[in-house]
Amino acid sequence: MTAQSSGPGARADDTARNVPGTDPHEQPTLRLHTAVPPPPVEVIDVPTSRVQHPSDLLGVVLGVLGVALVLALASYAHNTTSGVAEDVQGFATLLRRILFVPVNALVGLITLAVPLLVLGEQALRRRGRLLLETMVGGAAALALNAGVHWLISGLTSTDLAQNLSIRVGTGWQLTLPAYAALAAGVLTVAGSRVSTSVRWGWNALWVAVGITLITGQVSLPGVAVSVLLGRIVGMAVRYVSGVAPQRAYGEDLAVGVRRAGYTPRRLVRVPDQETAAAPHRDRYPPLPDPDPASAALARSSGTRVYRVETAYDEVLDLVVLDRDRQVVGSLARLWRSLRLRGLEGRSVVSLRQAAERAALLSYAAEAAGVDTPGLLRIGENADSMLLLLDHPHGGVPLTDLPDARLTDELLRAVWAQLRRAHAAGIAHRAVTSDNIVVGPVSHGVPRVWLTGWEQGDVASSELARRMDLMQVLALLALRVGAERAVRSAADALDAADVAAIGPLLQTIALPRQTREAMRAHKEVLTEVREALVARLPQADVEPQQLVRFGARTLLTIIVTVVAVFVVLTTINVNEIAAALRASDWRYSVLAYGLGLMTLLGGALALVAFSPVKVPLWRATLVQTAGTFVALAAPAGIGPAALNLRTLTKRGVSATLAAATVALVQVTQFVVTVLLLLVLSLLSGTQQQSALPVSPVVLVAVAAVAGLVAAALLVPRVRQWALAKAMPTLRQTWPRFIQVIGQPTRLGVGLLGSTVMTMGYVLAFDASLAALGQNASLVKVAIVYLAGTTAGSLVPTPGGVGTVEAALTASLGAVVGLNPGVALSVAVLFRVLTYWLRIPLGWVAMRRLQKLGEL
């Protein structure tokens, strides 16, 4: 795109500075040339037609959270809202008599006038697309409001509906005012800080809301929900469709450069990801190949960068900060400062603050003697701040530098520049290979610029400066190798500074560009640590705890939230209370103790089959923690995942750890089948019939066996079964062969699996006895196995609901109990062996996290 821009003439100080022969110390004389237009400016750019503001998406999220908060407050403050409604009722009657215009007529006028006013202004300004988007936003807001009204009135509890209602006579009427949702949706989509209709529309909406609240036409929670629903729809429409950018492009960009005191002749956009992904890219002339230093500046800053050629043949770099990008940058900085230790939070939230911070760091680095492109001027126009920088002529970023130019002198020059900044207390915080620009060699020494100080700190902490050293060492190791990089650091830094780098050598502390390169060369960090130890044997390279919360902390939070949700939505307190009241407490205590014994059995199996030494107490804690993780994972998956994590934390390879966990599970299955056969034989010897088990059980087993055999006769089913079974067999067979050669380990593993299975079976038998029911041990085992199998097949957290239903159905079919008694037994068993162990699991998981086992 080529634009001819006009604006105020060049400043006198710019002329005095550039005209040959002018004394720079002479006070310039200001002359106004109002009749002389500025010289034409050629702008080569690929402007963005529509932008998606991250702030709109953030607004949708905040709106949803706001609706949830209003509903929660309305539910918990029901007495307060009801009292307020009753107190307002008398005053509302008096106010209706005073108002000479009926309230409904006033609300209807505002409802009609606000959308028409906004749409009319858009039509006059010929904003057809915005006009259509505004209509869509209003209609969608009405539809969403009506849908929520229907859900609350028809599908939710009457308490929630009453909390959003007003008293009408002796009853309650649900109020989610449609006019509030309509107006909020229309005004949000059309939202503009300079639009007169939007400003007056919001004022009219608040007047209508206030009048309807005071006169008792709506409830406060109800109108708040409707306004938030309109905001959610409006923000969603804005984000999906995008909005016209308020950035400085073309003529606005040239005017902004003039305001900074320079006379531009040519502005050329440096290609970046935004220009490559811009729609209708073919409509504009191709952008010329960028200068390597300018391209590196665009990559490292993540902003628009232009090459500026002035009327006096100067070449400058122009960095453009856009308001719509500040939200993402602020959120990213906030997240990083919250997650990593030693990184202070950022208060930069506005566009001007971001520009002022960049200027502060640039001036501070330049004053400290650091060789960095100087910040010349700052300008502003539209929703953009413009930073004019000196261009590093002949500079090539370290990213594009040939290996032949990576000399020892260059490495020393890089460390020297960073040491100058640190000597003045300045930390860079984001040193990448794009921020190190190498210039021509002068007198045998290459010139090195350090750029990109926007994320830096003045008066920085020691940890921040140490992280700078670590980042430079890591990126140099990627280019010249670990040994040479460590040698260059040792030659340039004190031994204490070099030794302090080791604990910080972690991927999480690296900038994004270096982190991505390090993922492709994962061995580099290990090589750097080894080189540090070889250079300084006393150096400690054990990783320092930099992350305040990682995957395990997030896992704990997620599991806790899911656990609370599961408990609140699935547990039936009345059923549990009834089962506990009807039970014999002695058998209940016995069942609870037998359930805890299963944890010891699982620990014995893990200790026996583990390829490394795992203390029995530590393994028992792992099994106990599995009872808490089971709240957020299907039955059996949570404990297996914790076993796998325990082994990998102790240095076992992922393949061997997975084989060990699979062997534990296979052994438990085999032991369960063998115990079922043994129990069948033992129980049969005490019976008078010729059959060792009841005919019902035999028929059920025969039917299952027949179905399995018939299915395996089908080729596709057989192939599917083999595809599922063979990987596990191949994975566990080598480990099984190793265990076979150690009879003691095999015996302990089988004993642990036996204790685990029999503990559950006996606990279930004790639950039956607690409610005065009796059944043979083999029947109890069959019922228990059927329930746990169903819980494993249906992917519900902890098998909640499916296990109880399967146990109830099996008790009725196998033992012959009526549904009421069978449900009580199933609930009692689950309370004693599942729910009451959850607090112990939470304590065990917190303990394991402190010990570093998870």
Side-chain angles (χ1 to χ4, degrees):
M1 182 188 75
T2 302
Q4 302 296 329
S5 59
S6 60
R11 286 188 175 183
D13 58 348
D14 183 33
T15 305
R17 178 173 46 79
N18 291 282
V19 173
T22 304
D23 185 1
H25 302 286
E26 180 183 351
Q27 182 68 25
T29 303
L30 182 63
R31 297 180 180 179
L32 298 178
H33 301 280
T34 55
V36 179
V41 180
E42 180 185 9
V43 181
I44 302 177
D45 198 356
V46 180
T48 301
S49 57
R50 309 286 292 184
V51 294
Q52 291 178 317
H53 284 191
S55 58
D56 292 335
L57 182 60
L58 181 62
V60 173
V61 176
L62 294 179
V64 173
L65 294 178
V67 171
L69 179 62
V70 170
L71 294 179
L73 291 177
S75 298
Y76 286 105
H78 172 63
N79 293 333
T80 302
T81 55
S82 300
V84 171
E86 293 175 355
D87 293 339
V88 168
Q89 198 69 23
F91 181 71
T93 304
L94 176 62
L95 188 61
R96 291 192 195 100
R97 297 174 181 175
I98 297 176
L99 292 176
F100 62 90
V101 178
V103 176
N104 292 336
L106 180 62
V107 171
L109 178 63
I110 293 176
T111 304
L112 182 63
V114 169
L116 289 179
L117 183 65
V118 174
L119 295 175
E121 182 181 6
Q122 294 170 0
L124 291 175
R125 295 177 179 267
R126 299 181 179 180
R127 298 172 179 171
R129 177 167 179 166
L130 184 58
L131 177 66
L132 180 61
E133 292 170 354
T134 304
M135 296 173 64
V136 170
L142 282 177
L144 180 61
N145 190 77
V148 172
H149 189 286
W150 176 76
L151 285 174
I152 293 177
S153 60
L155 300 182
T156 60
S157 63
T158 56
D159 292 338
L160 179 59
Q162 185 175 341
N163 296 336
L164 302 176
S165 302
I166 59 172
R167 185 179 294 278
V168 179
T170 58
W172 294 87
Q173 178 181 345
L174 178 62
T175 56
L176 291 179
Y179 76 87
L182 170 64
V186 167
L187 294 172
T188 301
V189 176
S192 176
R193 292 168 302 196
V194 298
S195 175
T196 303
S197 62
V198 172
R199 290 202 309 269
W200 282 100
W202 281 114
N203 294 333
L205 174 60
W206 298 133
V207 170
V209 168
I211 292 176
T212 52
L213 277 175
I214 294 175
T215 56
Q217 301 290 314
V218 295
S219 65
L220 180 59
V223 72
V225 169
S226 293
V227 171
L228 287 173
L229 291 176
R231 291 285 294 174
I232 291 172
V233 170
M235 290 290 184
V237 171
R238 284 170 57 91
Y239 184 76
V240 172
S241 177
V243 297
Q246 303 296 321
R247 303 173 177 178
Y249 283 109
E251 181 180 350
D252 292 335
L253 200 62
V255 170
V257 173
R258 288 196 185 92
R259 289 178 179 174
Y262 284 83
T263 304
R265 177 172 54 84
R266 192 166 185 257
L267 298 173
V268 182
R269 175 77 173 269
V270 176
D272 52 27
Q273 294 181 352
E274 184 178 279
T275 59
H280 311 299
R281 176 69 180 80
D282 53 345
R283 295 182 181 178
Y284 305 100
L287 299 176
D289 294 334
D291 179 88
S294 299
L297 180 61
R299 288 194 302 265
S300 62
S301 64
T303 59
R304 289 190 288 150
V305 175
Y306 293 81
R307 175 187 174 92
V308 180
E309 299 175 7
T310 69
Y312 303 99
D313 297 328
E314 294 174 300
V315 176
L316 308 174
D317 286 326
L318 174 64
V319 177
V320 183
L321 304 180
D322 298 313
R323 190 182 304 276
D324 56 78
R325 293 189 175 186
Q326 290 305 305
V327 174
V328 176
S330 299
L331 292 178
R333 286 189 295 269
L334 177 62
W335 168 252
R336 190 169 177 82
S337 63
L338 289 176
R339 191 181 181 198
L340 296 183
R341 301 177 187 273
L343 294 184
E344 297 81 4
R346 296 289 186 267
S347 59
V348 178
V349 293
S350 69
L351 181 64
R352 181 171 293 276
Q353 286 176 328
E356 291 173 348
R357 184 176 185 86
L360 170 64
L361 267 299
S362 180
Y363 292 149
E366 192 173 5
V370 180
D371 209 349
T372 183
L375 176 62
L376 303 176
R377 299 290 177 85
I378 299 178
E380 180 183 15
N381 199 16
D383 265 1
S384 301
M385 294 290 294
L386 283 61
L387 280 65
L388 282 161
L389 306 171
D390 271 329
H391 180 72
H393 294 280
V396 178
L398 194 65
T399 307
D400 304 325
L401 198 69
D403 293 340
R405 294 185 60 183
L406 295 172
T407 61
D408 292 339
E409 290 77 11
L410 173 61
L411 301 186
R412 281 194 293 269
V414 172
W415 288 112
Q417 294 298 323
L418 190 62
R419 290 187 63 187
R420 289 180 186 175
H422 288 181
I426 305 171
H428 191 285
R429 288 194 175 274
V431 186
T432 66
S433 55
D434 280 336
N435 296 137
I436 299 176
V437 180
V438 181
V441 177
S442 177
H443 303 290
V445 179
R447 185 177 184 182
V448 174
W449 290 277
L450 282 184
T451 66
W453 293 91
E454 295 82 5
Q455 299 182 34
D457 276 337
V458 294
S460 59
S461 64
E462 181 183 354
L463 177 59
R465 296 192 292 271
R466 287 168 54 197
M467 291 183 71
D468 279 355
L469 299 177
M470 182 273 299
Q471 292 172 2
V472 173
L473 180 61
L475 66 89
L476 290 181
L478 287 169
R479 291 301 313 270
V480 302
E483 184 177 352
R484 189 178 170 195
V486 170
R487 184 171 67 249
S488 70
D491 294 341
L493 306 174
D494 296 334
D497 292 334
V498 178
I501 295 176
L504 301 180
L505 281 169
Q506 303 175 44
T507 307
I508 188 64
L510 296 173
R512 180 182 56 83
Q513 180 186 6
T514 310
R515 189 164 59 244
E516 292 175 354
M518 197 64 72
R519 289 196 182 104
H521 303 85
K522 298 180 180 180
E523 72 285 353
V524 172
L525 284 183
T526 303
E527 294 174 355
V528 173
R529 294 190 185 98
E530 294 174 353
L532 281 173
V533 174
R535 185 87 183 188
L536 299 171
Q538 74 278 10
D540 180 16
V541 295
E542 185 67 22
Q544 180 180 341
Q545 183 67 27
L546 294 177
V547 181
R548 287 194 178 96
F549 55 90
R552 62 183 183 181
T553 307
L554 291 178
L555 175 64
T556 303
I557 295 174
I558 293 172
V559 170
T560 303
V561 172
V562 174
V564 172
F565 176 79
V566 169
V567 170
L568 294 179
T569 57
T570 61
I571 192 170
N572 192 320
V573 179
N574 295 329
E575 287 184 357
I576 292 176
L580 291 175
R581 284 195 301 268
S583 63
D584 187 337
W585 68 270
R586 293 168 297 180
Y587 282 106
S588 298
V589 172
L590 177 61
Y592 183 71
L594 291 170
L596 294 180
M597 188 178 67
T598 62
L599 303 177
L600 178 62
L604 285 172
L606 178 62
V607 170
F609 295 138
S610 173
V612 296
K613 184 178 180 181
V614 179
L616 180 60
W617 172 245
R618 196 64 56 83
T620 305
L621 283 178
V622 172
Q623 307 308 309
T624 307
T627 62
F628 174 70
V629 178
L631 276 170
I637 294 180
L642 288 184
N643 289 341
L644 183 65
R645 178 67 175 173
T646 301
L647 294 177
T648 54
K649 287 290 287 185
R650 291 180 172 270
V652 181
S653 64
T655 304
L656 184 57
T660 302
V661 173
L663 180 60
V664 171
Q665 293 180 316
V666 170
T667 304
Q668 291 173 356
F669 173 77
V670 173
V671 168
T672 301
V673 174
L674 293 177
L675 283 175
L676 186 59
L677 294 176
V678 171
L679 291 174
S680 299
L681 295 176
L682 292 179
S683 62
T685 58
Q686 301 173 359
Q687 296 178 1
Q688 300 298 324
S689 63
L691 294 174
V693 294
S694 66
V696 176
V697 175
L698 287 179
V699 170
V701 172
V704 173
L707 290 175
V708 171
L712 291 178
L713 292 177
V714 180
R716 291 186 177 180
V717 176
R718 185 169 61 251
Q719 293 172 1
W720 175 84
L722 290 175
K724 293 294 183 181
M726 290 307 295
T728 303
L729 182 60
R730 294 192 190 99
Q731 190 179 40
T732 58
W733 184 254
R735 184 63 187 151
F736 178 72
I737 295 299
Q738 293 177 359
V739 173
I740 287 293
Q742 299 173 308
T744 303
R745 283 180 173 269
L746 180 61
V748 173
L750 293 176
L751 174 63
S753 298
T754 303
V755 170
M756 186 174 182
T757 302
M758 285 304 300
Y760 280 119
V761 172
L762 293 176
F764 191 53
D765 190 42
S767 300
L768 276 167
L771 292 173
Q773 305 299 319
N774 294 311
S776 64
L777 201 57
V778 65
K779 291 183 179 180
V780 173
I782 291 175
V783 171
Y784 163 73
L785 292 175
T788 54
T789 302
S792 300
L793 294 177
V794 181
T796 59
V800 175
T802 58
V803 173
E804 288 83 351
L807 290 175
T808 302
S810 300
L811 284 172
V814 178
V815 182
L817 298 182
N818 66 69
V821 176
L823 178 61
S824 299
V825 173
V827 170
L828 179 62
F829 172 71
R830 290 286 283 171
V831 168
L832 298 175
T833 61
Y834 180 75
W835 293 106
L836 291 183
R837 299 196 306 183
I838 290 174
L840 296 178
W842 183 84
V843 174
M845 190 166 186
R846 297 295 297 173
R847 178 61 179 168
L848 289 172
Q849 287 180 342
K850 291 182 179 180
L851 295 174
E853 290 287 347
L854 297 180

